[in-house]
Amino acid sequence: MSLLHRATFVISAARLDQLPAPGAPEVCFVGRSNAGKSSAINVLCNQRRLAFSSKTPGRTRLINMFGLPDPLAPDQHLGFLVDLPGYGYASVAHKEKEKWADILGGYLRDRQSLAGVVLIIDIRRGVTELDRRLADFIAPTGRPVLALLSKADKLPYGQRQRTVFAVRKDLADIGALHTVPFSATERIGLPEATQYIENWISPKVVP
């Protein structure tokens, strides 16, 4: 069984200072509103409703942490998955967008236990201006990034591969970048994504 399948809800936080003190490795999930972030978390963890997506994109304003219990010490965690608020929905007020940007940027830049970033990008859109803004927060940190190109089942194989190449070029300033076409519904890219995330949390775990 995948390490990720053990994920359980730990806490929701509206501010960075409400998070637990840094400790075990954390892998965060970030992406534009409605890019498929919640669906990706749920399928990676083999759970239907671990991560919730709002019916109104842009309304999920909390940082949600999910713990990965240590099988040898269930009261401890090997690591955490962190679902950061979606960003960029058009109807959200500018001040609110800036507040979210401060939370996202602060977490991505300063969280000491952050081991890797999963950046969800809708494969049909490619790298948008908002994705670029997120990448600008990430690149200076030097942290590894897994770009999951969600909804890959919506494109034929050849177009998927061209988009992968284009995303790699657009995000070339992120040094440690892996790009994987992904589909939560068709489970495209699921083994590759699982391996990257597990190895960020615990390098001894090899699928």
Side-chain angles (χ1 to χ4, degrees):
M1 181 177 74
S2 167
L3 169 67
L4 305 184
H5 293 181
R6 304 189 184 104
T8 58
F9 173 78
V10 174
I11 192 173
S12 290
R15 304 190 312 269
L16 295 177
D17 60 7
Q18 294 174 336
L19 294 175
E26 297 174 14
V27 173
C28 75
F29 290 73
V30 64
R32 189 182 189 279
S33 296
N34 210 28
K37 181 161 54 70
S38 297
S39 297
I41 293 172
N42 287 336
V43 74
L44 284 162
C45 296
N46 197 34
Q47 300 182 44
R48 290 188 177 183
R49 295 179 64 82
L50 181 67
F52 288 87
S53 56
S54 171
K55 292 181 180 179
T56 303
R59 288 287 179 86
T60 305
R61 306 182 184 191
L62 299 175
I63 302 168
N64 295 302
M65 293 188 72
F66 308 102
L68 302 172
D70 186 337
L72 301 179
D75 59 332
Q76 299 181 27
H77 291 100
L78 290 174
F80 297 91
L81 305 179
V82 182
D83 183 10
L84 296 175
Y87 181 75
Y89 194 60
S91 69
V92 177
H94 178 73
K95 285 186 178 179
E96 193 70 14
K97 288 182 182 179
E98 292 304 310
K99 178 182 176 182
W100 294 357
D102 289 343
I103 292 174
L104 291 169
Y107 180 89
L108 292 169
R109 286 191 306 263
D110 304 329
R111 187 68 173 173
Q112 295 177 352
S113 48
L114 181 57
V117 179
V118 180
L119 175 59
I120 310 293
I121 296 174
D122 188 329
I123 197 168
R124 299 168 300 178
R125 293 175 176 266
V127 177
T128 66
E129 181 181 347
L130 294 168
D131 297 323
R132 182 64 257 171
R133 184 170 181 178
L134 288 170
D136 289 342
F137 285 131
I138 299 167
T141 70
R143 291 187 174 100
V145 175
L146 172 63
L148 287 188
L149 306 189
S150 65
K151 307 179 185 182
D153 56 299
K154 304 296 184 182
L155 296 182
Y157 179 81
Q159 193 171 351
R160 281 183 219 159
Q161 297 309 112
R162 289 192 292 273
T163 305
V164 167
F165 179 80
V167 168
R168 285 176 181 162
K169 183 177 179 180
D170 289 342
L171 300 180
D173 56 325
I174 297 178
L177 175 70
H178 304 285
T179 310
V180 175
F182 189 83
S183 168
T185 55
E186 300 296 328
R187 305 175 81 84
I188 296 168
L190 183 58
E192 297 91 332
T194 297
Q195 182 173 353
Y196 281 121
I197 296 168
E198 284 184 334
N199 286 332
W200 283 339
I201 299 254
S202 176
K204 296 179 181 178
V205 176
V206 181

